[in-house]
């Protein structure tokens, strides 16, 4: 599978040059990106992001056609279609693995793979630091009595197919607890594309901030949010069912707001975190 670029040159929707979404086949029709589907709220502007950054990459995520329904890993429809504003054009593996934290891990791994596969790694719940470069070199792990032990496997080239194989045990042994520890807290007022609302626990949940807009007069910020859920399902952009006029945008609570409500989880304002 070869990398596919969003565009070879800036397109009519203003797509930046050179953003790669490695899971897409070269024959896949270029889908409408998130930034073209969701205009900022009235009077707002998207916040600046660095070229080729994690935030820019998320801003231009390819979406499936408008009206596409979110489905579970087994093909069944997600019960809560009312919370789905759009479905990201990315596959759902057939196992019940790509759940909430796993969706964040999947997208972060795909972004990392498109830039430097040797930097892709995630900590498991036990604390074990699992590197993609080790995995393809033949070094992996096994679990015995809840202890992670070194193990070997056949070495292989660092292809996208290998990344998919690496993610299966990562999804199985990482989760909201490990991802929450891996990220650093940031103030909600400083939210940026690529940040994660995350509650580490059992149960826990994670929602990814895929874009941010701001009103330059009031400085009110708004975010677009994406998630998977349980059981594993399509990664989807959330609809603001409490403020339908905002569509898929959510107003960031001010200092007096103790919580951030999303359609299927309520986070404490201290639960916004960021990748290093």
């Amino acid at each position: 599978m070869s990398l596919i670029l969003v565009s070879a040159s800036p397109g009519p929707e203003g797509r930046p040059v050179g953003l790669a979404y490695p899971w897409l086949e070269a024959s896949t029709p270029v889908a409408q990106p998130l930034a073209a589907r969701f205009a900022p709220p009235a009077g707002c502007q998207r916040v600046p992001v660095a070229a080729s950054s994690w935030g820019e990459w998320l801003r231009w995520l390819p979406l499936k056609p408008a009206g596409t329904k979110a489905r579970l890993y087994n093909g069944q429809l997600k019960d809560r279609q009312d919370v789905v504003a759009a479905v990201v054009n990315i596959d759902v593996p057939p196992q019940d693995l790509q759940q909430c934290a796993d969706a964040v891990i999947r997208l972060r791994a795909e972004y990392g793979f498109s830039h430097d596969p040797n930097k892709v790694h995630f900590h498991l719940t036990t604390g074990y630091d699992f590197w993609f470069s080790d995995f393809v070199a033949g070094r992996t792990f096994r679990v015995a009595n809840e202890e992670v032990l070194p193990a070997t496997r056949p070495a292989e080239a660092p292809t996208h197919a290998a990344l998919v194989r690496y993610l299966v045990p990562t999804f199985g042994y990482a989760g909201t607890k490990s991802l929450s520890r891996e990220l650093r807290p940031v103030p909600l007022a400083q939210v940026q594309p690529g940040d994660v609302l995350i509650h580490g626990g059992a149960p826990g949940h994670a929602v990814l901030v895929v874009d941010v807009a701001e009103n330059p007069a009031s400085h009110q910020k708004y975010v677009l949010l994406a998630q998977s859920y349980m059981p594993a399902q399509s990664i989807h952009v959330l609809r603001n069912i409490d403020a339908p006029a905002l569509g898929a945008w959510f107003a960031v609570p001010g200092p007096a707001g103790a919580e951030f409500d999303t359609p299927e989880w309520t986070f404490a304002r201290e639960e916004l975190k960021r990748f290093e």
Side-chain angles (χ1 to χ4, degrees), residues 100-101 104 194-199 205-210 224-229 236 238 250 260 262-265 267 271-273:
C100 57
V104 178
D195 290 347
V196 185
L197 285 163
I198 185 165
H199 178 81
H205 192 41
V207 171
L208 181 61
V209 178
V210 290
L224 291 176
L225 304 172
Q227 68 167 24
S228 177
Y229 206 62
H236 52 279
L238 286 166
F250 292 76
F260 195 128
T262 72
E264 294 186 289
W265 196 273
F267 297 92
E271 292 182 317
L272 182 73
K273 297 193 174 184

Side-chain angles (χ1 to χ4, degrees), residues 39-82:
C44 297
Q45 302 171 354
R46 286 186 153 88
V47 300
V49 289
S52 298
S53 66
W54 169 229
E56 183 182 64
W57 188 88
L58 290 171
R59 178 171 284 173
W60 295 94
L61 276 174
L63 301 179
K64 292 191 174 182
T68 299
K69 296 185 181 297
R71 293 186 178 273
L72 308 184
Y73 71 98
N74 58 10
Q76 296 179 3
L77 290 173
K78 172 181 170 68
D79 288 340
R80 294 288 308 275
Q81 296 293 326
D82 61 314

Side-chain angles (χ1 to χ4, degrees), residues 21-24 28 31 57 61-64 71 87-93 98 102-103 105-111 160 167 171 227-228 233-236:
Y21 298 89
W23 65 90
L24 297 179
T28 302
W57 188 88
L61 276 174
L63 301 179
K64 292 191 174 182
R71 293 186 178 273
V87 174
V88 177
N89 190 8
I90 191 169
D91 60 287
V92 183
Q98 193 171 283
D102 307 310
I105 290 170
R106 170 75 188 276
L107 292 173
R108 182 70 178 184
E110 296 280 4
Y111 168 74
H160 187 265
L167 286 171
F171 292 163
Q227 68 167 24
S228 177
Q233 56 196 252
S234 308
I235 299 176
H236 52 279

